[in-house]
Amino acid sequence: MSEQRKPEPFSTVPRLQLPNVNRRTLIVGGGLAAAGIVLASQIRELTRGRASVFVAKNQKYDGPLVQTMRDGLIACGLVPDQIKGKRILLKPNLVEPSRDAPHMTTHPAIILAAAEVFRTWGGDVIVGEGPGHVRDTEMALVESGVADALDSMHLPFSDLNYEEVVWTPNRGRASKLPGFFFPRSVAEADLVVSLPKMKTHHWVGVTAAMKNLYGVIPGIKYGWPKNVLHHNGIPETVFDINASLPQTIAIVDGIDCMEGDGPIMGTKKPMGLLVMGTSPTAVDATICRLMDVNPQQVPYLALAANRLGPLDKRLIDQRGEAWEPLQSTFQMLDKPHLRALVRHRGVLVS
Amino acid sequence: MDDWLQTVLDDLAKSSACGYLPQQTAATEPSVLAALALNGHGRTEAAQAVLDYLARAQQTDGSVGVRATEATPGWPTSLAVIAWQLFAADQHQGRIARGMKWISGMHGETLERSPEMGHNTLLDGWPWAAGTHSWLEPTAFHLLAYRAVKQRSHPRAAEAVRLLIDRQLPDGGCNYGNTTVLGQTLRPHVQPTGIALLALAGESDPSGRMEKSLTWLKWSLGSRTTASSLSWALHGLHAHGREVPQAAELLRGAYQRVQSHDQSPHKFALLALAALGEQSPLIGITRMDTPA
């Protein structure tokens, strides 16, 4: 029998391996410029350590989502003209879909609205996902309702679990992994749009834009679940994947959310929000504040702070609605590793 | 023979070493399934390309990677061994022996028992990738490899049986490999349940959970069940002698969906295999080596 190994969901971060902050910032800025998608002002924002996040309230799945997304992305500095001719990969969260729990996965209306926005701006749009728990991706599409949605707009879909792969060096180096196998459609995208669901997560507290990108990792190489990542530390590999991907932005489905035992077995929490921005780290920090969670206590966000984007609210330019009046405490599992995330013990549930 | 099945077999015969999707580089899993389907339907010659592929793909350590161009991870080694054993065991004894040596030396990482995880984390099975925990589907595939080479009594095979029974959910069905996490019972899924039940055919389970899984699996099938899940579910049910009267109708519906969407050779091969019912060679494996 092989040597026993203790689970280490919160293994110590090897901080000495982290890249120099200023150099990291420049690397990211260089990547953005290479993609040719974002404004020079955004690069200046990044080099100053700032980012913009747009919050929209009173949103519904049958509402004017396209207009909200257009307004929000432009408010965060995205220039529609720069999308023309670019390969845009929309990455929803379809981790383990069930018709009994539609609040677990990104709503099809969010995917369709994002596709319309980027198609209208001239982008070559595909939807891609590598579900983390189920090998039958077709089943994930059908159960989530996304299959019918894709058909309605003739949107191509890339099964990221089985695509041919491209080796990419690990530019984060928080974990020991020397690099990642990214599916070809991810590696070749000019822009990856993370389309997560706003949820609690029973190991790392919160899952939104950054954690959703676990789903670009191919199961054929990493397994179902993507256990290679778990064994190398969830926070570290979330950080590393985000540091190594092409240019990434985020649009978060915060309309019907999940609290309690997320990301799979939690309960529905309606919030009516859309949250977006060109820095997934800053978007996730704002998501945490909306959930009444301290982003500094979320391990992968603590790693990303001032390396991939800002967490400090003084460094995040709020567009649209202010987050403070919209804050609503999300229940968390009453587990030792989650207690530091919440201010009030009353929100812990078994 | 149904029209759709004739079409599928004709297409698979043109290129039995195939990828998961059309135009993709050949991959081990879909290629083996295509070869088994062709062989099962009497088109043995057309499956020869897969044996050539597998011969090229086998590494010096005996493993067979996910694609001929990707040597790791080696979880499809189990499928390669099954193909060699079923097609031409005499010709491939060396390859089979090297493959089984790699399989017997590959272990999932065990974890200290914890109240947070409902399954027995000390049981030894197979991981998807080296250095990680044992999961349900790779353990089932490797158990099938042991059964194919008539080594069901091997200690690794016996422990795999215990693992697969341990991973059945309390009310039936299987998740991808967990049962309860942090006190919450997880959801069952059709595909892993079908694969686990196929590998467990002929085994006894005094706890009654395997019987509950069979009941759940049969109940869960419907017009929405997709090709891969449906095919494995039919294998799991037929391996235990359970009849599925609507199988032909479900297979046709699943075929039409694949045909109008991704035209995946992997899914076509699975559907063709499932159309063999109890005559599927994967079920035949379990009949050859059922313990007394």
Side-chain angles (χ1 to χ4, degrees):
Chain A
M1 188 170 289
S2 59
E3 188 183 344
Q4 290 184 12
R5 181 185 173 120
K6 202 172 180 180
E8 295 179 315
F10 297 106
S11 56
T12 308
V13 179
R15 291 194 179 277
L16 291 177
Q17 293 179 20
L18 289 174
N20 175 279
V21 172
N22 293 331
R23 182 168 170 270
R24 175 70 237 155
T25 307
L26 289 172
I27 288 169
V28 173
L32 299 178
I37 285 175
V38 290
L39 278 174
S41 62
Q42 278 180 271
I43 297 173
R44 282 199 298 275
E45 259 190 355
L46 271 170
T47 53
R48 293 201 320 273
R50 302 192 65 83
S52 300
V53 175
F54 181 92
V55 178
K57 66 177 182 181
N58 297 330
Q59 298 297 302
K60 297 178 179 174
Y61 292 120
D62 59 357
L65 297 173
V66 172
Q67 189 60 49
T68 305
M69 286 185 194
R70 279 189 190 129
D71 293 347
L73 292 172
I74 290 171
C76 290
L78 204 72
V79 178
D81 286 350
Q82 293 176 336
I83 298 299
K84 191 173 183 181
K86 296 295 193 296
R87 289 164 296 194
I88 312 295
L89 176 73
L90 305 181
K91 164 60 182 78
N93 182 313
L94 306 178
V95 57
E96 192 182 328
S98 164
R99 296 221 169 182
D100 300 332
H103 53 287
M104 183 209 305
T105 49
T106 307
H107 195 283
I110 300 290
I111 301 169
L112 293 184
E116 185 169 341
V117 167
F118 287 100
R119 273 188 172 173
T120 304
W121 289 345
D124 180 10
V125 177
I126 61 170
V127 178
E129 165 67 318
H133 295 173
V134 290
R135 278 233 294 158
D136 183 355
T137 307
E138 185 186 358
M139 187 276 283
L141 291 172
V142 169
E143 284 290 307
S144 62
V146 171
D148 290 341
L150 298 179
D151 286 350
S152 73
M153 276 184 73
H154 302 292
L155 275 167
F157 176 80
S158 289
D159 187 341
L160 304 182
N161 276 333
Y162 297 102
E163 259 194 9
E164 287 155 354
V165 295
V166 176
W167 172 258
T168 306
N170 176 0
R171 295 199 298 178
R173 307 297 288 185
S175 75
K176 292 178 292 188
L177 293 173
F180 295 99
F181 292 101
F182 284 144
R184 187 170 293 283
S185 61
V186 172
E188 293 178 351
D190 294 308
L191 182 67
V192 176
V193 184
S194 182
L195 295 177
K197 181 69 103 176
M198 179 175 175
K199 296 187 283 190
T200 52
H201 191 287
H202 59 203
W203 296 120
V204 289
V206 172
T207 174
M210 289 181 66
K211 179 68 174 64
N212 177 43
L213 295 171
Y214 253 38
V216 304
I217 297 296
I220 192 172
K221 302 290 281 186
Y222 293 78
W224 291 265
K226 295 166 185 182
N227 214 203
V228 175
L229 304 179
H230 302 149
H231 281 260
N232 282 278
I234 297 176
E236 292 84 352
T237 49
V238 169
F239 171 79
D240 286 347
I241 290 166
N242 277 269
S244 305
L245 280 169
Q247 159 70 347
T248 305
I249 67 171
I251 304 172
V252 182
D253 174 0
I255 297 178
D256 287 338
C257 308
M258 179 181 278
E259 65 178 349
D261 191 4
I264 310 293
M265 304 302 292
T267 51
K268 178 176 164 182
K269 183 176 176 69
M271 290 288 283
L273 302 176
L274 268 186
V275 183
M276 64 199 86
T278 53
S279 164
T281 304
V283 168
D284 281 0
T286 303
I287 292 290
C288 287
R289 293 189 172 97
L290 287 161
M291 298 166 79
D292 199 10
V293 168
N294 178 358
Q296 290 285 358
Q297 295 288 341
V298 177
Y300 60 84
L301 287 179
L303 274 173
N306 303 321
R307 295 173 172 86
L308 299 183
L311 299 191
D312 191 328
K313 56 190 173 189
R314 292 167 301 186
L315 296 174
I316 298 174
D317 298 318
Q318 204 65 50
R319 312 295 186 196
E321 305 290 337
W323 62 264
E324 290 91 342
L326 301 173
Q327 186 181 61
S328 178
T329 305
F330 276 50
Q331 292 183 329
M332 292 267 179
L333 283 189
D334 187 7
K335 298 293 175 186
H337 63 274
L338 296 177
R339 286 176 193 147
L341 273 69
V342 299
R343 288 189 301 158
H344 314 292
R345 294 295 296 275
V347 304
L348 295 168
V349 295
S350 56
Chain B
M1 183 181 287
D2 286 344
D3 289 349
W4 72 264
L5 183 55
Q6 191 72 47
T7 304
V8 162
L9 293 172
D10 288 346
D11 285 349
L12 291 176
K14 288 176 195 161
S15 180
S16 54
C18 54
Y20 286 94
L21 292 169
Q23 315 306 322
Q24 272 190 349
T25 304
T28 306
E29 183 184 28
S31 296
V32 168
L33 295 171
L36 293 177
L38 289 165
N39 197 38
H41 287 280
R43 300 200 185 188
T44 307
E45 207 166 291
Q48 183 59 41
V50 173
L51 296 179
D52 297 341
Y53 161 91
L54 293 176
R56 290 194 306 274
Q58 190 172 35
Q59 305 297 305
T60 51
D61 65 1
S63 67
V64 179
V66 290
R67 294 186 177 95
T69 50
E70 295 171 52
T72 60
W75 59 264
T77 306
S78 50
L79 299 171
V81 166
I82 290 168
W84 283 319
Q85 181 69 25
L86 291 183
F87 280 103
D90 292 344
Q91 290 175 36
H92 296 288
Q93 280 306 316
R95 296 194 178 285
I96 292 167
R98 287 199 299 280
M100 289 307 298
K101 186 178 177 190
W102 182 87
I103 288 170
S104 66
M106 172 57 65
H107 300 263
E109 294 286 317
T110 55
L111 305 167
E112 194 175 305
R113 288 303 299 267
S114 157
E116 294 173 348
M117 309 299 274
H119 68 271
N120 184 348
T121 50
L122 296 174
L123 287 174
D124 186 17
W126 283 267
W128 289 105
T132 64
H133 194 46
S134 300
W135 296 100
L136 188 126
E137 289 187 36
T139 299
F141 286 141
H142 286 102
L143 173 58
L144 284 170
Y146 272 102
R147 298 186 74 164
V149 299
K150 300 180 178 57
Q151 292 185 33
R152 163 62 187 85
S153 57
H154 191 285
R156 293 293 312 274
E159 185 140 333
V161 170
R162 287 197 292 276
L163 185 152
L164 293 177
I165 290 175
D166 178 68
R167 304 281 182 108
Q168 308 284 308
L169 293 166
D171 292 329
C174 301
N175 190 261
Y176 53 91
N178 282 319
T179 52
T180 64
V181 175
L182 297 170
Q184 182 110 257
T185 303
L186 301 183
R187 289 187 179 84
H189 295 296
V190 171
Q191 173 163 321
T193 305
I195 293 173
L197 288 173
L198 167 64
L200 288 170
E203 302 293 340
S204 61
D205 171 26
S207 75
R209 283 186 296 171
M210 205 160 75
E211 186 60 36
K212 285 181 184 174
S213 291
L214 286 162
T215 302
W216 177 83
L217 190 58
K218 191 165 180 178
W219 169 85
S220 68
L221 293 184
S223 59
R224 220 169 61 202
T225 310
T226 46
S228 181
S229 292
L230 173 65
S231 301
W232 287 116
L234 291 175
H235 273 88
L237 290 166
H238 286 146
H240 288 262
R242 305 300 164 101
E243 292 191 4
V244 184
Q246 75 277 34
E249 179 190 344
L250 294 176
L251 286 166
R252 174 179 287 278
Y255 162 78
Q256 287 167 345
R257 177 170 186 81
V258 177
Q259 179 62 23
S260 64
H261 285 78
D262 60 13
Q263 299 182 12
S264 158
H266 174 225
K267 295 174 192 171
F268 284 150
L270 276 169
L271 291 169
L273 264 176
L276 288 163
E278 294 189 21
Q279 303 309 311
S280 167
L282 289 170
I283 293 175
I285 290 170
T286 67
R287 300 260 160 90
M288 290 187 292
D289 193 31
T290 299

